[in-house]
Amino acid sequence: MVNPANPAGLLGVVLLARHGDRLEFFQDPLTYNPTQTFLTPLGSVQEFRLGGFLRNTYINPFSSHSIQGISTDLANIDQLVVRADAAGEGNVIQDSVQGLLQGLYPPTHDSNVTLANGTTIVGPLGGYQYIPIESVQPDLDISLNSFTSCPNFDQHTLGFYASNPFQQVAAQAAPFLQQLAPFLVNRSIDFTNMFKIFDFVNVQRIHNATFLHLLPPTFGQQAYGFANFHENGVFTDTSIRGIGDIAIRTILPSIFTSLTRIANSSDPLKLALNEISYKPFISLFNVTGASTVDPGIAGIVDYAAVVALEVSQPPGTSTPLVTLKFKNGTDTEFRTLSLFGTRGGVPLSSFISALAPAAVNNTQQWCTACNQTTLRGCSVFH
Ligand SMILES: *[C@@H]1O[C@H](CO)[C@@H](O)[C@H](O)[C@H]1NC(C)=O
Ligand SMILES: *[C@@H]1O[C@H](CO)[C@@H](O)[C@H](O)[C@H]1NC(C)=O
Ligand SMILES: *[C@@H]1O[C@H](CO)[C@@H](O)[C@H](O)[C@H]1NC(C)=O
Ligand SMILES: *[C@@H]1O[C@H](CO)[C@@H](O)[C@H](O)[C@H]1NC(C)=O
Ligand SMILES: *[C@@H]1O[C@H](CO)[C@@H](O)[C@H](O)[C@H]1NC(C)=O
Ligand SMILES: *[C@@H]1O[C@H](CO)[C@@H](O)[C@H](O)[C@H]1NC(C)=O
Ligand SMILES: *[C@@H]1O[C@H](CO)[C@@H](O)[C@H](O)[C@H]1NC(C)=O
Ligand SMILES: *[C@@H]1O[C@H](CO)[C@@H](O)[C@H](O)[C@H]1NC(C)=O
Ligand SMILES: *[C@@H]1O[C@H](CO)[C@@H](O)[C@H](O)[C@H]1NC(C)=O
């Protein structure tokens, strides 16, 4: 069965989703080079629930906001594109997308085949659906993880660390970090290390009962606030063409392609999902001006947070519109964010023309933007 048209005229959606709960994550404060970590069962549940939320919103035939023409129970793989960042964090992002898809298209007895001898066989686990996932390998495709091995980005990060605003907030944070130090088991309390400090506190608060009991109640939120300032400075830039926004600039081309395909009624694509880390969200909210209008979203989105770029064309209208929506991990519904100062839909053509100048369209352009001459496939251009 497929969904009929409804008054919202929703043609499809491009989604960016963050992975779920994982164990501690070490990344170098300068290069953001990652180390291994693991998705937890809680993380899988968060992703599964996110998949269920997206199913109820976009696929359930009783939703007032369902995507017209999308297959309801049996996934039609021509309608879907699924990509997941395979860089860093071990398999956290790859495993997360599996959980999300299990909630999006749960097992169904419709996933069956009738054999020549007349017997009908339902797939395993009650009709589990295997949806293809493109694993985006960082050495073959820079698009979902473009902020590592990027010397100009490292320069930008160093510049932020040397800036007055950074020094001022570092001075404000210093007394708090002194108080926090006994909980940090010898981790550096230098403010450049603020992401790791927050991540350690956050992971321990979720997984270590002793730690949760001992930590003063406001410390988690304070660490989060300082880490948000830190990461927002690293992953934004004053110009949308600045290297600080590289995390989203390399994803823009695939967003444009997916939005354009969704708006094309001859093309079957309805839902494009990108499973990623928290960094591109910060840059997306910066280049669209969304976090300038809503400063509360500037920072590290929760586990299993999701951004939706919806393409709609209400009946009787001729211009497809793009609307930016966001759901933090624990929120129960989407909120509409502002795009270039407009809260609501902007024409697809305007969306693309506003952001096209920021797009980094291929590896060669990325090598140039980063001043990278050897790694990630850049040596062939020299
Ligand atoms: C097999 O799938 C079809 C739809 O594709 C459904 O109508 C039918 O009931 C399913 N058969 C079984 C045995 O579940
Ligand atoms: C039909 O073929 C399948 C697969 O070989 C087998 O499992 C099933 O027992 C067969 N059914 C009958 C009625 O022979
Ligand atoms: C912390 O650092 C001190 C001094 O370098 C060292 O003596 C101690 O063993 C370290 N503690 C842990 C838990 O690593
Ligand atoms: C849990 O937290 C306590 C208190 O900070 C600490 O002593 C202990 O080593 C932690 N346990 C683990 C497994 O990290
Ligand atoms: C729309 O999609 C069809 C089918 O994929 C394709 O042939 C056609 O070129 C597309 N139109 C545009 C304007 O891209
Ligand atoms: C992006 O963030 C920077 C701060 O890092 C800010 O100066 C700039 O105005 C923001 N961009 C937009 C389009 O709001
Ligand atoms: C996400 O929700 C948490 C509460 O769970 C809140 O502290 C945080 O500010 C929110 N972040 C964003 C980006 O909305
Ligand atoms: C990437 O392509 C867009 C058109 O979609 C163009 O506007 C932009 O300048 C290109 N980026 C670079 C770095 O050439
Ligand atoms: C690019 O990096 C090289 C070192 O690999 C350096 O000498 C050069 O100045 C850099 N160029 C720019 C424009 O930053």
Side-chain angles (χ1 to χ4, degrees):
M1 178 186 158
V2 302
N3 278 325
N6 66 37
L10 193 63
L11 305 179
V13 65
V14 176
L15 299 166
L16 304 176
R18 189 183 176 205
H19 59 75
D21 181 71
R22 50 146 173 71
L23 297 181
E24 191 183 0
F25 179 47
F26 299 95
Q27 57 186 358
D28 187 282
L30 173 59
T31 64
Y32 278 77
N33 280 338
T35 56
Q36 185 81 355
T37 177
F38 298 93
L39 191 72
T40 68
L42 170 62
S44 296
V45 167
Q46 291 168 336
E47 292 291 319
F48 180 76
R49 286 196 185 131
L50 171 59
F53 167 82
L54 294 168
R55 174 172 182 75
N56 281 333
T57 306
Y58 292 124
I59 298 178
N60 186 331
F62 302 108
S63 164
S64 61
H65 209 66
S66 60
I67 294 172
Q68 63 191 49
I70 199 163
S71 184
T72 55
D73 295 312
L74 195 60
N76 172 352
I77 60 172
D78 293 338
Q79 297 183 336
L80 309 171
V81 165
V82 182
R83 307 168 75 220
D85 177 9
E89 306 200 37
N91 286 321
V92 166
I93 298 176
Q94 300 286 315
D95 291 349
S96 290
V97 80
Q98 302 274 359
L100 193 161
L101 290 174
Q102 285 172 349
L104 191 71
Y105 276 109
T108 171
H109 283 199
D110 286 359
S111 181
N112 68 52
V113 64
T114 300
L115 304 176
N117 69 9
T119 302
T120 297
I121 306 289
V122 173
L125 301 169
Y128 185 92
Q129 308 197 55
Y130 298 83
I131 296 174
I133 298 166
E134 183 194 341
S135 168
V136 178
Q137 299 292 335
D139 286 336
L140 302 177
D141 179 342
I142 48 83
S143 63
L144 297 188
N145 203 287
S146 53
F147 43 86
T148 54
S149 311
C150 180
N152 283 351
F153 181 74
D154 298 348
Q155 288 302 316
H156 156 85
T157 301
L158 281 174
F160 175 56
Y161 290 167
S163 70
N164 280 331
F166 185 91
Q167 296 297 331
Q168 277 166 15
V169 178
Q172 279 167 27
F176 165 67
L177 292 175
Q178 287 292 345
Q179 288 179 291
L180 189 60
F183 297 94
L184 298 178
V185 207
N186 281 4
R187 280 168 183 75
S188 161
I189 58 165
D190 191 285
F191 195 56
T192 58
N193 202 38
M194 195 61 228
F195 176 81
K196 272 204 262 187
I197 295 170
F198 157 70
D199 195 62
F200 175 75
V201 169
N202 192 42
V203 169
Q204 293 285 315
R205 281 175 78 222
I206 295 171
H207 293 282
N208 181 341
T210 314
F211 188 97
L212 179 64
H213 179 71
L214 289 175
L215 191 77
T218 60
F219 278 28
Q221 204 57 32
Q222 282 173 277
Y224 185 43
F226 286 124
N228 282 340
F229 167 81
H230 185 285
E231 296 306 282
N232 194 60
V234 170
F235 291 98
T236 60
D237 213 315
T238 48
S239 152
I240 64 167
R241 305 188 61 175
I243 198 73
D245 284 317
I246 194 70
I248 196 68
R249 291 176 59 200
T250 50
I251 306 179
L252 289 175
S254 73
I255 292 177
F256 297 161
T257 301
S258 294
L259 293 172
T260 305
R261 287 188 58 195
I262 289 167
N264 177 351
S265 57
S266 312
D267 189 305
L269 184 66
K270 307 260 176 234
L271 187 151
L273 167 64
N274 298 283
E275 191 86 16
I276 51 173
S277 67
Y278 66 90
K279 291 115 176 165
F281 288 90
I282 299 176
S283 304
L284 174 68
F285 293 159
N286 184 229
V287 297
T288 53
S291 52
T292 301
V293 175
D294 289 312
I297 60 168
I300 304 160
V301 299
D302 277 356
Y303 295 137
V306 66
V307 153
L309 287 156
E310 296 181 355
V311 184
S312 58
Q313 191 170 339
T317 66
S318 58
T319 308
L321 301 175
V322 177
T323 307
L324 176 65
K325 293 187 174 177
F326 173 56
K327 189 181 93 66
N328 208 345
T330 45
D331 297 347
T332 53
E333 50 187 49
F334 272 126
R335 56 193 281 215
T336 300
L337 299 180
S338 166
L339 276 177
F340 321 117
T342 303
R343 203 180 295 273
V346 301
L348 171 58
S349 55
S350 315
F351 178 86
I352 293 178
S353 59
L355 292 178
V360 173
N361 304 304
N362 51 46
T363 300
Q364 186 168 11
Q365 290 179 2
W366 179 83
C367 302
T368 304
C370 288
N371 191 22
Q372 174 57 265
T373 55
T374 50
L375 304 177
R376 307 281 293 270
C378 294
S379 56
V380 298
F381 303 115
H382 282 265

